[in-house]
Amino acid sequence: MTARRLSAAALAAAAIVGAVALPASAADHARPDRTKVEISAVQYDSPGRDDRSRRSLNKEWVELTNTSRRTVNLDGWTLKNEDGDTYTFDHYRLEGRATVRIHTGRGHDTDSDLYMDRHNEVWDNRSDTATLRNDHDRFIDDESWGRHHRGHGGHQHDGGRHH
């Protein structure tokens, strides 16, 4: 009986030491670079007259920045305002440490500029929230301005442009 109890105690002690040592050794290893895309700037009040021209609409934009080193596939991700107007990314990959500007108006998509192809302003000059969600409709980031309310990310900005 004593040998059995001694063995059981030794096994229990080894299990405790192993459980304590595991997190310490895991902490010694560098964590992989996590994918992080965020709304980095918003120009919701296009400079000059809002006349719904292509030029005016394309001066209204939202910028997204990939702060990680890895390329992120944004296919199926959405950018939406409080009224429900939605832009859905289609076959677009954002390179690591890169920024893309999503313009309201019409244009030819490039690696650094995408276009919603809208004929009216999307972002309310007084108060709105731009919300970014991934292809599984999970919240990624948001940016709010105007009246004092908070979106999921808790960002608030006053003025026509933010960084």
Side-chain angles (χ1 to χ4, degrees):
M1 284 278 208
T2 306
R4 237 185 263 180
R5 284 186 184 170
L6 189 56
S7 290
L11 286 173
I16 291 170
V17 169
V20 170
L22 182 61
S25 65
D28 293 339
H29 298 291
R31 291 182 182 221
D33 188 32
R34 292 190 181 180
T35 300
K36 179 88 167 115
V37 176
E38 62 187 27
I39 298 173
S40 51
V42 177
Q43 176 68 53
Y44 54 82
D45 186 5
S46 76
R49 216 173 71 216
D50 289 337
D51 59 5
R52 295 186 185 160
S53 67
R54 175 188 270 187
R55 183 178 187 155
S56 174
L57 291 171
N58 285 337
K59 289 182 181 177
E60 180 182 88
W61 45 259
V62 174
E63 280 185 351
L64 303 182
T65 299
N66 178 357
T67 61
S68 73
R69 285 180 255 143
R70 295 184 182 167
T71 298
V72 178
N73 183 358
L74 299 183
D75 189 36
W77 287 38
T78 59
L79 186 60
K80 184 184 291 190
N81 69 7
E82 288 181 351
D83 291 333
D85 295 318
T86 305
Y87 172 75
T88 302
F89 292 84
D90 186 30
H91 302 294
Y92 181 78
R93 292 176 173 271
L94 183 57
E95 299 293 324
R97 308 268 187 236
T99 297
V100 63
R101 186 174 282 184
I102 300 93
H103 302 270
T104 298
R106 298 177 314 276
H108 297 287
D109 292 344
T110 67
D111 287 342
S112 60
D113 292 281
L114 299 174
Y115 296 85
M116 294 183 179
D117 296 327
R118 301 245 178 202
H119 299 284
N120 295 308
E121 292 84 7
V122 170
W123 309 109
D124 189 301
N125 293 351
R126 290 179 306 264
S127 175
D128 209 343
T129 299
T131 302
L132 180 66
R133 293 186 171 275
N134 70 12
D135 57 334
H136 298 291
D137 200 34
R138 290 192 184 110
F139 173 82
I140 301 298
D141 195 16
D142 67 358
E143 200 67 55
S144 295
W145 57 91
R147 70 179 175 262
H148 296 287
H149 66 281
R150 291 195 187 278
H152 291 106
H155 299 118
Q156 291 184 10
H157 294 278
D158 291 317
R161 182 172 187 215
H162 119 266
H163 283 288

